[in-house]
Amino acid sequence: QEQLVESGGGLVQAGGSLRLSCAVSRRTFSTIHMGWFRQAPGKEREFVAAIMLTGGYTSYADSVKGRFTISGDNAKNTMYLQMNSLRPEDTAVYYCAAGSGLAFGRPPQHWGQGTQVTVSS
């Protein structure tokens, strides 16, 4: 079972930036695609961004396009989410996810434990 470990969450003021990281325990077929989801209190978990680590294809939710950037470092088995121009509505627990085809809309097969991001107004 692949393990995903997130880091980098925290408290930031609106307009600020944070970078999330997700390290995967081992590279397998099911971790070629990785991504981020988030869940705000009282809301369903929603897709944020995904990347195909071999090739670099990326996809984003409309709500974060132009503000968030997803990237990966194959040598370190690590994925990143650079979040700029943060808004209070970005406040949520952010979950790292992995799964074959994730960047093309297929559901995740593996989840991290989540990291809290809080944006104050």
Side-chain angles (χ1 to χ4, degrees), residues 61-107:
D62 288 342
S63 60
V64 305
K65 280 181 181 177
R67 300 188 299 122
F68 291 10
T69 302
I70 190 170
S71 62
D73 186 332
N74 284 331
K76 296 182 179 179
N77 284 351
T78 302
M79 173 188 62
Y80 305 96
L81 185 68
Q82 177 66 42
M83 304 185 293
N84 297 328
S85 302
L86 282 161
R87 305 167 180 168
E89 53 264 40
D90 294 317
T91 295
V93 177
Y94 283 69
Y95 295 91
C96 176
S100 58
L102 178 61
F104 301 127
R106 297 188 65 181

Side-chain angles (χ1 to χ4, degrees), residues 25 27 36-37 40 46 56 59 64 70 92-93 97 100 107 113 121:
S25 58
R27 176 57 46 77
W36 295 92
F37 290 71
E46 63 176 6
S59 61
V64 305
I70 190 170
V93 177
S100 58
Q113 79 284 359
S121 57

Side-chain angles (χ1 to χ4, degrees), residues 6-82:
E6 302 104 331
S7 61
L11 173 65
V12 65
Q13 288 188 334
S17 299
L18 281 175
R19 188 175 82 154
L20 305 182
S21 300
C22 176
V24 61
S25 58
R26 59 180 183 147
R27 176 57 46 77
T28 65
F29 181 75
S30 67
T31 58
I32 291 176
H33 291 223
M34 297 184 70
W36 295 92
F37 290 71
R38 66 186 182 186
Q39 187 167 19
K43 295 187 177 182
E44 293 186 354
R45 192 172 297 188
E46 63 176 6
F47 169 78
V48 175
I51 185 169
M52 185 172 70
L53 294 172
T54 56
Y57 174 84
T58 59
S59 61
Y60 295 91
D62 288 342
S63 60
V64 305
K65 280 181 181 177
R67 300 188 299 122
F68 291 10
T69 302
I70 190 170
S71 62
D73 186 332
N74 284 331
K76 296 182 179 179
N77 284 351
T78 302
M79 173 188 62
Y80 305 96
L81 185 68
Q82 177 66 42

